[in-house]
Amino acid sequence: MTHFFALLPTIWPWLLLITAMVSTVSGKQVLGMGLLAVFGAVSLTLGLVTPIAAGVVTVGFAGALILRNLSGMWAALGHVTLVIWCIALGAHLVPGFHNPLVLDQVQSGPLSRDFTMYLNLDKPMVLFTVALAWPSMIGGAVALRKIPLAVGFALLPALLAVGSAVNAIRPEISLPHWWVIFALSNLFLTCLTEEVFFRGYLQSLISSRFGAGLGIAAASLLFGLVHVGGGPALAGFATILGAACGLGYYATGRLWVPVLMHFGFNAAHLVLFTYPGPA
């Protein structure tokens, strides 16, 4: 906790951003966008984003609002464009965002590799954009489907066991002093954003047109592909993790289920195994 409080003078704007994100996915979109506007003003004042970056995000929001009123070929083209735009933001390809470095080559334990982490400003903008484009993802709970949910949850420890068996990770129990900032960033800026995009938006969109099976498969494969920079093994593990979270979302219709599955997996990885892998 000492490490977290030492960072507070630098990271306090992200608490505003996270509140805006949670408000948006909780169905309070007006409040969420209002808080985001305040965060945007703060970020511009502090030099965390440039006016060009803010303009790019504003154009994306406007396009998302237009997209939800389109149909047919124009809607399909708009969704493809939105997916590409979101992946570019998530991959930090849009200039003008100054994501601060908060963990610099730290280790979760003596057997683990060095780990570096930034607090993202650009990636969370994906959440607000797809919430504007596909608002039906929020509040879409369904009658519980127990078997898909059980399979999804069973995949998580199985994936960790496979990773350990092939030496992608190794057992190492540790709780690094920086766990609070890791948890805050990973839960909201990473897991919440990714699950809203891949499950709430992409899986839901494809499922509405081609069925749940193809929706889960396509969103999981794309989730794996965006991790291919870490190597084919990471892409494969990410695909399976995506399928597990996809089943959780399909089984409940509640976004917080895959978010907590995703975060629970990452937290178990950090606490029980070498993170991100063995040294």
Side-chain angles (χ1 to χ4, degrees):
M1 291 295 290
T2 303
H3 178 265
F4 174 76
F5 286 121
L7 288 173
L8 265 182
T10 300
I11 69 170
W12 68 266
W14 277 262
L15 302 180
L16 184 60
L17 172 61
I18 288 169
T19 305
M21 296 170 72
V22 173
S23 298
T24 298
V25 298
S26 298
K28 300 174 182 177
Q29 194 170 69
V30 173
L31 174 61
M33 296 305 292
L35 290 170
L36 179 63
V38 175
F39 171 77
V42 169
S43 298
L44 282 166
T45 302
L46 297 177
L48 296 170
V49 298
T50 65
I52 292 176
V56 169
V57 171
T58 301
V59 169
F61 288 171
L65 286 171
I66 293 170
L67 173 58
R68 67 185 187 184
N69 295 313
L70 299 179
S71 60
M73 180 188 69
W74 290 110
L77 181 61
H79 283 294
V80 170
T81 303
L82 179 60
V83 168
I84 295 171
W85 187 85
C86 288
I87 291 175
L89 272 175
H92 316 300
L93 299 179
V94 178
F97 293 92
H98 304 305
N99 300 324
L101 178 66
V102 290
L103 296 177
D104 186 12
Q105 295 186 324
V106 296
Q107 289 182 305
S108 63
L111 301 179
S112 296
R113 293 202 313 267
D114 290 346
F115 174 65
T116 296
M117 190 182 81
Y118 295 82
L119 278 188
N120 291 325
L121 287 153
D122 41 7
K123 189 172 182 176
M125 297 303 110
V126 170
L127 178 147
F128 299 102
T129 308
V130 297
L132 289 171
W134 193 252
S136 61
M137 76 172 79
I138 298 170
V142 299
L144 180 64
R145 299 177 171 109
K146 295 181 181 179
I147 293 178
L149 184 62
V151 172
F153 272 107
L155 283 173
L156 301 178
L159 187 55
L160 288 170
V162 170
S164 181
V166 299
N167 291 321
I169 55 176
R170 293 177 186 169
E172 181 178 53
I173 298 176
S174 63
L175 187 64
H177 70 278
W178 40 265
W179 71 270
V180 176
I181 189 63
F182 172 88
L184 189 73
S185 174
N186 195 262
L187 174 57
F188 296 105
L189 306 184
T190 298
C191 296
L192 179 57
T193 298
E194 290 181 354
E195 294 309 314
V196 166
F197 175 71
F198 286 101
R199 257 55 70 179
Y201 168 60
L202 198 60
Q203 177 178 316
S204 179
L205 172 66
I206 297 171
S207 296
S208 70
R209 286 157 173 76
F210 304 105
L214 186 58
I216 293 171
S220 302
L221 285 171
L222 184 58
F223 185 65
L225 284 173
V226 300
H227 289 84
V228 77
L234 178 60
F237 287 134
T239 300
I240 298 171
L241 174 60
C245 295
L247 287 169
Y249 183 58
Y250 166 72
T252 63
R254 297 180 183 275
L255 279 168
W256 285 107
V257 172
V259 170
L260 293 177
M261 290 173 72
H262 191 165
F263 177 69
F265 177 86
N266 289 349
H269 182 183
L270 175 70
V271 175
L272 301 177
F273 297 90
T274 50
Y275 191 93

